[in-house]
Amino acid sequence: MSDRQILQAMSGLMAGMFVSILAGTVVANALPRIIADLGASQSSYTWVVTAELLAMTATVPLWGKLADLYNQKLLLQISLGLFVVGSLLAGFSHDVSLLIFSRVAQGIGAGGLTALAQVVMAAVIPPRRLGKYAGMFGAVFAVGTVAGPLIGGVLVDTSWLGWRWCFFIGVPFALLAIVLLQRTLKLPTVRREAKIDYLGAFLIVAGVSALLIWVSLAGNSFDWASWQTAALTGGGLLLLVAAVFVESRVPEPIIPLGIFRNRTVTLTTVASLFVGLAMFGGTVFLSQYFQISLGKSPTVAGLMSLPMIMGLLVSSTVAGQLISRTGRWKAYLVAGGVLMTAGLGLLSTIGADTHFGLLSLYMAVMGVGVGMLMQNLVLAAQNDVAATELGAATSVLSFFRSLGGTIGTSVLGAILASRVATEMSKGLQEAGIPAGGGAAGHGAVPDMTKLPAPIREIVEHAYGTATGELFLVATPFAFLAVLAVLFVKEKPLKTTSGMERLAEESGAAGRAEDDAAAPLSAGTPAAPAEKA
């Protein structure tokens, strides 16, 4: 395929990926207004976020397996269709239960887009040329991740639009992606007999969901040390052990355990988990820091994230171009990991009085590191597996990155709540103000416009200090990602696409069968057939 043909085919994929990212980020600044309008509780607030993350993370491996068995273009269009249905339900919701259900549908669709977009890229583009296109996807990821809160803030602040448009805005992009995929993406339909491991799929989804529910609700709905923690963690681990047992014995496992014998896949998977923990866990709270600690509006808070967007966008694009030109990729992984770690370390020094120029520099450093690291981890893994395992390997990396992000968000959120409570109690005591005197209750996000000036200063300081400590906690996880990529062995990038490699592997398998049968046909005659 020429560059023009590839770009045409990628247009639908990039629109779909943008929709997937937007689904998770656009509601960040709108949630307080949504929950207030629907008359819902703080636990409902948590579930609106958690439901989409749970559904996306838990279904990524299943989508990846389906991509190895069925027509990938059709699967992409189905996942986009699910996203459209979920978005419309969410936008028209007048009850928080329907909103949570719609977020599950959105999450399942987003899981398909997360896994399948990169699988299809690997199918049509050789790894040697994939770098620059992976860089473009990194740029789309950057724009969707950080522009989502900005778009959401503008929609909420615009009286004639409102929060419902946070869900409606993704629908035109999803429909456009379905049309573009139909017109531009040409993939052969490989028909073969396949057995879906339904039991394995159920055990994986149930086990992961139990653990994600635990990290999402522990410290908020119940204590970390409680019977609920024991039940969810024990049950989740037992389900996952059962899943490993099943997966090791079925002919068509959802996650082929054999791919973890591949050193590159194992190390890039570990690195993806830590990237998710460090990046998502750290940056998800920046918008809250801008609004509460620095006193900015939702729209301005979104604009303040632009240095991180630009760093990620430029570095992913430039690194992708250089990788395609030179064929060398490991140096970019290592440099990206080091810069991400340095950026998080610098962000750990922020507080309520940090100058925006300094803050912009810190965010840009982290954005540059993430841009060089995230997409190229997938490239390294795809380059080192058989074509028949492209879907499984890609979905495993996406799964562990999402898992790390979900765990990081939940655990760091609990740490943030605890540190804010401690700092506020300390500040109120030093100022001689009775505890709870006009401040937000425990676990609630304060409305800064309704707080008296002395208490507002205490809250701003508390959130500034606590957010800086979050980045300090996230920094060691980024360093572990650096250690993982240091041990990845750099291998030359293949010059054939996934479809071409699949044809070669199928041809080699066929020739091997012919060679095995040759001695029988050329040597000893076969036994005569029995008479009926």
Side-chain angles (χ1 to χ4, degrees):
M1 296 174 71
S2 67
D3 284 344
R4 181 182 177 184
Q5 289 173 317
I6 290 174
L7 282 173
Q8 287 177 338
M10 293 299 103
S11 60
L13 288 178
M14 286 191 275
M17 179 61 77
F18 182 71
V19 161
S20 169
I21 304 302
L22 204 63
T25 60
V26 75
V27 297
N29 288 334
L31 268 178
R33 186 78 55 83
I34 294 171
I35 296 301
D37 282 359
L38 296 179
S41 64
Q42 179 66 33
S43 81
S44 299
Y45 184 109
T46 304
W47 272 107
V48 171
V49 178
T50 306
E52 199 252 352
L53 283 172
L54 273 173
M56 182 181 75
T57 305
T59 56
V60 161
L62 184 56
W63 283 110
K65 181 60 183 176
L66 291 173
D68 286 333
L69 301 179
Y70 299 113
N71 186 284
Q72 294 163 358
K73 180 167 81 171
L74 178 61
L75 290 172
L76 268 170
Q77 291 172 319
I78 290 171
S79 62
L80 282 163
L82 279 170
F83 178 84
V84 168
V85 171
S87 298
L88 291 174
L89 284 174
F92 288 115
S93 294
H94 290 280
D95 175 76
V96 75
S97 300
L98 179 59
L99 178 61
I100 292 170
F101 173 78
S102 68
R103 293 287 283 170
V104 172
Q106 276 190 314
I108 295 171
L113 292 166
T114 301
L116 295 167
Q118 296 180 90
V119 174
V120 172
M121 280 178 62
V124 299
I125 309 172
R128 186 69 167 78
R129 297 170 65 194
L130 187 58
K132 61 181 179 181
Y133 299 104
M136 293 178 189
F137 267 80
V140 171
F141 186 91
V143 173
T145 299
V146 191
L150 169 61
I151 295 170
V154 171
L155 292 172
V156 170
D157 287 343
T158 305
S159 59
W160 51 276
L161 288 173
W163 64 262
R164 295 183 186 278
W165 279 94
C166 290
F167 301 106
F168 293 147
I169 194 171
V171 173
F173 290 101
L175 295 175
L176 174 64
I178 291 172
V179 173
L180 287 172
L181 287 169
Q182 187 62 36
R183 290 174 61 89
T184 62
L185 188 60
K186 309 297 180 186
L187 291 176
T189 300
V190 180
R191 297 189 181 278
R192 67 182 182 89
E193 286 192 16
K195 295 181 179 179
I196 299 293
D197 176 22
Y198 293 106
L199 177 58
F202 168 76
L203 291 171
I204 291 170
V205 170
V208 169
S209 296
L211 294 178
L212 291 181
I213 289 169
W214 168 60
V215 296
S216 300
L217 300 184
N220 182 22
S221 299
F222 51 82
D223 293 332
W224 287 96
S226 62
W227 69 265
Q228 291 96 329
T229 290
L232 287 170
T233 54
L237 291 173
L238 282 174
L239 287 166
L240 291 178
V241 168
V244 170
F245 179 81
V246 171
E247 293 293 274
S248 64
R249 282 160 175 75
V250 295
E252 295 276 5
I254 299 296
I255 300 178
L257 301 180
I259 65 171
F260 291 110
R261 297 192 190 101
N262 184 311
R263 175 177 166 179
T264 302
V265 172
T266 302
L267 288 171
T268 52
T269 298
V270 170
S272 293
L273 175 70
F274 290 131
V275 167
L277 275 164
M279 185 189 71
F280 290 107
T283 58
V284 76
F285 299 103
L286 271 176
S287 178
Q288 191 177 56
Y289 164 75
F290 295 147
Q291 292 183 58
I292 295 178
S293 194
L294 302 186
K296 307 300 180 182
S297 70
T299 302
V300 173
L303 287 170
M304 290 178 74
S305 300
L306 283 176
M308 188 159 54
I309 278 192
M310 296 308 298
L312 207 160
L313 191 153
V314 171
S315 70
S316 64
T317 305
V318 172
Q321 293 282 353
L322 292 173
I323 288 171
S324 290
R325 189 176 303 166
T326 64
R328 307 303 297 269
W329 49 267
K330 183 173 177 179
Y332 299 99
L333 287 182
V334 176
V338 170
L339 285 172
M340 183 178 73
T341 306
L344 287 166
L346 291 170
L347 284 166
S348 71
T349 64
I350 65 174
D353 55 352
T354 303
H355 190 273
F356 180 63
L358 208 55
L359 187 61
S360 299
L361 175 64
Y362 298 166
M363 289 191 293
V365 170
M366 195 187 75
V368 169
V370 172
M372 295 172 71
L373 182 63
M374 192 166 58
Q375 289 297 117
N376 294 323
L377 286 170
V378 179
L379 171 64
Q382 290 176 337
N383 183 59
D384 202 31
V385 296
T388 53
E389 294 180 341
L390 274 174
T394 305
S395 64
V396 162
L397 262 68
S398 300
F399 167 71
F400 277 94
R401 187 174 63 223
S402 297
L403 182 65
T406 308
I407 293 171
T409 301
S410 302
V411 173
L412 292 179
I415 294 172
L416 177 72
S418 174
R419 290 297 298 134
V420 165
T422 302
E423 289 294 324
M424 283 180 59
S425 298
K426 179 181 174 184
L428 291 170
Q429 186 177 3
E430 290 176 353
I433 301 172
H442 177 67
V445 178
D447 184 345
M448 300 299 287
T449 61
K450 296 179 180 178
L451 294 180
I455 294 178
R456 187 166 62 246
E457 289 179 8
I458 292 169
V459 174
E460 287 172 353
H461 173 76
Y463 272 88
T465 302
T467 305
E469 291 190 12
L470 282 193
F471 287 109
L472 184 62
V473 172
T475 302
F477 295 111
F479 181 69
L480 290 174
V482 177
L483 292 181
V485 298
L486 279 173
F487 289 99
V488 176
K489 184 178 179 181
E490 185 168 23
K491 297 183 179 181
L493 294 175
K494 294 181 171 67
T495 56
T496 52
S497 70
M499 289 191 293
E500 291 167 336
R501 286 156 59 194
L502 185 61
E504 288 173 5
E505 290 167 14
S506 300
R511 286 193 297 274
E513 289 178 6
D514 292 341
D515 291 343
L520 179 63
S521 58
T524 308
E530 292 182 7
K531 292 182 180 180

